Amino acid sequence: VQLQASGGGLVQPGGSLRLSCAASGFRLDYYAINWFRQAPGKEREGVLCITASSSTGGASSIYYTGSVKGRFTISRDNAKSTVYLQMNNLKPDDTAVYYCAQGTRWYCDKTAANWGQGTQVTVSS
């Protein structure tokens, strides 16, 4: 099992980034996928999660933190085995290393079976 997070970088406040989490070694559509972040000197926190795909292909998003509601969205492309985190209107408080993690179940419960390596997001003018 591998998860490869990418897409981080330096962006000005108000800017946007799209993070990608490329998965291999398991059926992406069977599992929830989480995004976590860890800012310097702070504990890791859950950001967003997307459930496994239903039989009709739909999935639900679960926000773990209210600070990103209205700014961040999560989506999955099962054909590409990739989950995306679209981050808009970024703020300096969003600066952190972002990690994607395979959930242990089809639904979101903040548990993680496997972790990606993290990608740095820095929001600064």
Side-chain angles (χ1 to χ4, degrees):
V1 172
Q2 261 194 322
L3 296 109
Q4 183 84 21
S6 62
L10 173 64
V11 63
Q12 291 187 341
S16 297
L17 282 174
R18 188 177 78 160
L19 305 185
S20 299
C21 177
S24 61
F26 67 99
R27 283 285 301 266
L28 182 75
D29 54 336
Y30 284 5
Y31 292 92
I33 300 295
N34 300 281
W35 282 97
F36 294 87
R37 67 185 180 185
Q38 188 164 21
K42 294 186 177 180
E43 291 189 357
R44 186 174 59 206
E45 69 167 345
V47 180
L48 258 177
C49 175
I50 188 165
T51 62
S53 298
S54 69
S55 58
T56 57
S60 298
S61 303
I62 305 296
Y63 286 86
Y64 291 141
T65 175
S67 66
V68 304
K69 282 186 178 180
R71 301 188 298 121
F72 291 13
T73 57
I74 190 170
S75 62
R76 58 163 69 231
D77 185 336
N78 293 325
K80 294 184 178 179
S81 203
T82 301
V83 171
Y84 302 100
L85 181 66
Q86 178 67 43
M87 305 186 296
N88 299 326
N89 190 22
L90 282 159
K91 303 177 180 181
D93 283 350
D94 296 319
T95 295
V97 178
Y98 284 72
Y99 300 88
C100 60
Q102 176 196 8
T104 57
R105 299 171 178 84
W106 68 266
Y107 55 88
C108 299
D109 63 359
K110 285 192 182 178
T111 58
N114 294 286
W115 293 83
Q117 85 288 5
T119 185
Q120 176 71 47
V121 172
T122 302
V123 185
S124 175
S125 55

